[in-house]
Amino acid sequence: MTDTTTPVPLTFASPVDQVFPTLTTEQIARVAMHGQVRHVQRGEVLIEVGEQTPRFFVVTAGHIAIVRPSGVTEDLVAVLRPGQFTGEVTMLSGRRGFVRLRAGEPGEVIEVEREHVLALVQTDGELSEILLRAFILRRVEMIAHGFGDVVLVGSSHSAGTLRIQAFLTRNGHPYSTIDLDRDAGVQDLLDRFQVTVDDVPVVICRGEVVLRNPTNGQIADCLGFNEAIDHTQVRDLVIVGAGPAGLSAAVYSASEGLDVLVLETNSPGGQAGSSSKIENYLGFPTGISGQDLAARAYTQAQKFGAQLIIAKSATQLVCDRKPYAIAIDNGPRVPARAVIIATGAEYRRLSLENLAQFEGVGVYYGATFVEAQLCGGEEVIVVGGGNSAGQAAVFLARTARRVHILIRSGGLAASMSRYLIQRIEETPGIVLRPHTIITALEGGDHLERVRWRDNQTGTSETHAIRHIFAMTGAVPNTRWLEGCVALDAQGFIKTGPDLSPEELAAARWPLARAPHLLETSLPGVFAVGDVRGGNIKRVASAVGEGSIAVAFVHQVLHE
Ligand SMILES: Cc1cc2nc3c(=O)[nH]c(=O)nc-3n(C[C@H](O)[C@H](O)[C@H](O)COP(=O)(O)OP(=O)(O)OC[C@H]3O[C@@H](n4cnc5c(N)ncnc54)[C@H](O)[C@@H]3O)c2cc1C
């Protein structure tokens, strides 16, 4: 360790023996079969900050310091002793690391290349559990300590800041924030990087690159989210969309040996990722947040070797030749023998003239902790009578002063699960307003007032309410398919037995067999989850369809 290192390691919320477990002699021997012994000198750097496709080390003699550079000094994160090992979630994703590993004294390590670590976690159940738990807990600790390679400078009242926070959080990427409204010393920092007020939110990426109000794609590029992924090779399967349906298909296909690539416009988790608590998904009796479920599924898919391209959209399916190809952001085309479309659906937007002005600054399409923090102690409106509206209302009622549920119809019975209706009835802070629609939004930089009309009485009222959660049904993400597959009248994809002989004839279905269950009018192209016509819009059905489609992908690949 250098003299400049602060000698006190961090404290951790999780048990230290789980964050930094010590392997037994037998376990070390099993790791050693995948790597090689390396002697290290005092002060030798084994991994540098920002290094990609990292290697994995188990200490067998001496010690390794995990440090975080801070200006000219280093902060000590932890010291690894014999039996302990390096690595965190980037080991699975192949992204850049956040820390420096330095040998503290002459010693010995077992060094394992990343692809051998991936093989190890797929084949050795005991080591897989120890390693994955440690990797995930280490990432959780990094997020909790706010350290990583990103600083977000913005205002909690700005839609752009909220978007970037959601993007980084849902990608499990650690970052720290500087809130312009609260942090007086921030001007110095802005001056140092020549940033004007108009440029915010600003992302300082890896301490070097300054991005002014960047898109999610620019952030992903700067952080190297997709650097380790080859776009050119022909994949067995390309999955478009990483919501529950796409992630499920990724887990099943990768675990069954297929070479799979997933494309995701935004962050893993899809709509479910924006749900504050999913209470009806099997196996989670006390509920699980969509973010947690998505993070677990994302790690699981990567553990089995699936690759995910983040913050890039499929913009075209090239369907007139085989292998098919999928254009990414109108640029490179990824060839694929089979395709699973899992692009889900988007919430309907309220038809109000100045809606766009308030999206993200008063009008939201998801109710997570991020939004709940913004409207604590205030009145809020939830628009919609479905289950997601009900969940949002119950969740927001914990922190908001009052929650108004606005529905066009006369009641919730036809559209919402009974358990949620009961919760709403039992929650004193929730007011149900049937036959009511929003007619106007008012405000400046932020929504300030909402006008609504009771369609039965015809009376209109204006209320000083600053937050609306729009939960009013969905529009399928199928525009990019441009006629490659048959759609129903609402634009959802038709599959299997729902395709009529006429539709198959019109699509020039070329095979003697009928389309498989979940197969579209294009052989080898499947549709699963919310994007599929007739799908039950639930996490469980999305996950189930993802797994079923993979069984048929195997059959198609052998045709
Ligand atoms: C707030 C909320 C709460 C909910 N609560 C529950 C619940 O408690 N229980 C339950 O069972 N269900 C719940 N649902 C419904 C459930 O989330 C959906 O049914 C489920 O997410 C559908 O999964 P999916 O993978 O089919 O689609 P989605 O979750 O919509 O995922 C589709 C993904 O595809 C991506 N995508 C779209 N177009 C492209 C493109 N061109 N290129 C690349 N990627 C693309 C999107 O960014 C998205 O990540 C809730 C929904 C919401 C919004």
Side-chain angles (χ1 to χ4, degrees):
M1 226 178 302
T2 60
D3 295 336
T4 50
T5 302
T6 314
V8 186
L10 291 182
T11 50
F12 300 102
S14 312
V16 174
D17 61 343
Q18 290 189 1
V19 186
F20 296 106
T22 304
L23 301 180
T24 63
T25 315
E26 292 76 39
Q27 289 165 343
I28 295 173
R30 297 213 298 278
V31 176
M33 290 192 310
H34 296 264
Q36 57 197 25
V37 173
R38 172 171 163 185
H39 296 280
V40 293
Q41 301 306 317
R42 179 186 160 86
E44 187 177 336
V45 173
L46 304 179
I47 296 270
E48 190 48 272
V49 178
E51 221 179 287
Q52 214 187 354
T53 55
R55 284 147 290 139
F56 171 82
F57 299 97
V58 181
V59 183
T60 47
H63 73 262
I64 291 179
I66 305 177
V67 297
R68 187 160 70 116
S70 166
V72 289
T73 64
E74 291 173 338
D75 294 330
L76 183 61
V77 177
V79 175
L80 301 178
R81 310 263 171 209
Q84 294 181 310
F85 54 86
T86 63
E88 63 95 45
V89 171
T90 48
M91 187 65 62
L92 302 178
S93 61
R95 292 183 188 164
R96 294 167 189 274
F98 304 102
V99 291
R100 177 181 293 156
L101 301 180
R102 183 194 292 287
E105 58 184 306
E108 188 189 89
V109 293
I110 296 166
E111 177 174 349
V112 188
E113 294 296 329
R114 177 174 162 258
E115 64 264 32
H116 293 138
V117 180
L118 291 179
L120 185 69
V121 294
Q122 283 168 35
T123 51
D124 189 319
E126 188 191 25
L127 282 171
S128 168
E129 192 181 322
I130 297 169
L131 263 58
L132 287 184
R133 186 174 53 217
F135 291 171
I136 293 166
L137 289 177
R138 289 172 190 181
R139 176 56 67 96
V140 170
E141 293 294 344
M142 289 169 84
I143 292 172
H145 284 90
F147 82 72
D149 48 5
V150 178
V151 180
L152 171 62
V153 186
S155 155
S156 55
H157 301 296
S158 110
T161 306
L162 211 58
R163 168 181 58 79
I164 294 172
Q165 271 182 319
F167 178 68
L168 292 170
T169 305
R170 288 181 59 178
N171 276 291
H173 197 92
Y175 67 97
S176 43
T177 42
I178 297 177
D179 190 336
L180 285 170
D181 302 327
R182 292 189 196 156
D183 207 320
V186 77
Q187 196 56 48
D188 284 352
L189 184 101
L190 294 182
D191 291 347
R192 216 172 95 208
F193 287 102
Q194 286 147 25
V195 172
T196 67
V197 176
D198 296 339
D199 293 328
V200 292
V202 169
V203 171
I204 301 172
C205 176
R206 292 199 248 130
E208 302 161 354
V209 184
V210 178
L211 302 173
R212 291 149 209 255
N213 196 9
T215 62
N216 293 347
Q218 287 170 317
I219 298 172
D221 287 344
C222 180
L223 295 174
F225 276 7
N226 305 315
E227 271 173 17
I229 297 174
D230 178 3
H231 294 165
T232 55
Q233 86 194 59
V234 183
R235 304 285 178 156
D236 292 331
L237 174 64
V238 169
I239 298 168
V240 186
L247 287 172
S248 156
V251 166
Y252 284 93
S253 54
S255 67
E256 290 164 15
L258 298 183
D259 172 15
V260 55
L261 178 73
V262 185
L263 286 176
E264 168 54 51
T265 296
N266 194 4
S267 324
Q271 289 180 68
S274 69
S275 169
S276 45
K277 201 168 195 186
I278 299 166
E279 290 193 64
N280 56 359
Y281 188 53
L282 190 73
F284 296 92
T286 55
I288 179 164
S289 77
Q291 172 64 35
D292 275 355
L293 188 67
R296 286 171 192 223
Y298 185 24
T299 305
Q300 199 174 9
Q302 288 179 319
K303 164 187 146 174
F304 287 121
Q307 294 188 313
L308 279 91
I309 294 186
I310 298 298
K312 303 276 175 200
S313 294
T315 46
Q316 189 196 355
L317 174 62
V318 181
C319 56
D320 58 353
R321 73 199 82 136
K322 283 194 165 179
Y324 301 123
I326 287 135
I328 306 176
D329 280 345
N330 296 318
R333 293 175 170 190
V334 189
R337 295 191 184 94
V339 177
I340 291 183
I341 302 167
T343 44
E346 268 168 31
Y347 267 96
R348 284 212 175 80
R349 301 167 83 234
L350 304 172
S351 75
L352 292 162
E353 204 182 307
N354 54 351
L355 180 76
Q357 181 187 344
F358 300 114
E359 283 180 316
V361 282
V363 177
Y364 317 97
Y365 296 93
T368 69
F369 286 97
V370 176
E371 289 85 12
Q373 275 173 2
L374 296 178
C375 47
E378 296 189 47
E379 291 196 44
V380 306
I381 294 172
V382 171
V383 184
N387 278 353
S388 46
Q391 284 168 359
V394 171
F395 172 69
L396 292 166
R398 285 198 235 149
T399 42
R401 185 152 53 85
R402 179 165 302 147
V403 179
H404 304 265
I405 302 180
L406 269 55
I407 52 170
R408 275 176 190 274
S409 65
L412 296 172
S415 52
M416 195 180 284
S417 299
R418 275 180 65 91
Y419 84 93
L420 275 171
I421 298 178
Q422 201 177 341
R423 291 264 170 87
I424 287 169
E425 287 167 354
E426 287 166 358
T427 308
I430 302 182
V431 184
L432 179 65
R433 299 193 177 277
H435 305 293
T436 306
I437 58 162
I438 296 180
T439 52
L441 306 177
E442 293 172 21
D445 291 344
H446 196 282
L447 178 68
E448 298 298 341
R449 283 169 302 283
V450 178
R451 190 163 183 74
W452 70 53
R453 188 178 64 226
D454 182 326
N455 277 342
Q456 265 199 329
T457 62
T459 50
S460 285
E461 296 171 9
T462 300
H463 292 261
I465 295 181
R466 304 175 68 249
H467 308 281
I468 297 175
F469 293 84
M471 307 273 174
T472 51
V475 180
N477 291 317
T478 48
R479 286 172 298 275
W480 64 282
L481 291 165
E482 285 176 3
C484 280
V485 299
L487 306 178
D488 70 14
Q490 283 75 41
F492 289 88
I493 301 174
K494 293 190 100 172
T495 55
D498 291 344
L499 287 156
S500 66
E502 296 73 35
E503 281 165 332
L504 290 176
R508 299 209 183 100
W509 176 260
L511 304 176
R513 66 164 176 82
H516 291 297
L517 192 74
L518 307 179
E519 195 171 21
T520 66
S521 58
L522 192 61
V525 176
F526 296 80
V528 293
D530 281 12
V531 75
R532 196 178 69 78
N535 158 275
I536 306 296
K537 298 202 167 21
R538 294 271 187 281
V539 175
S541 35
V543 168
E545 290 183 12
S547 79
I548 295 168
V550 170
F552 291 117
V553 166
H554 286 292
Q555 292 189 24
V556 165
L557 291 177
H558 287 104
E559 258 170 9

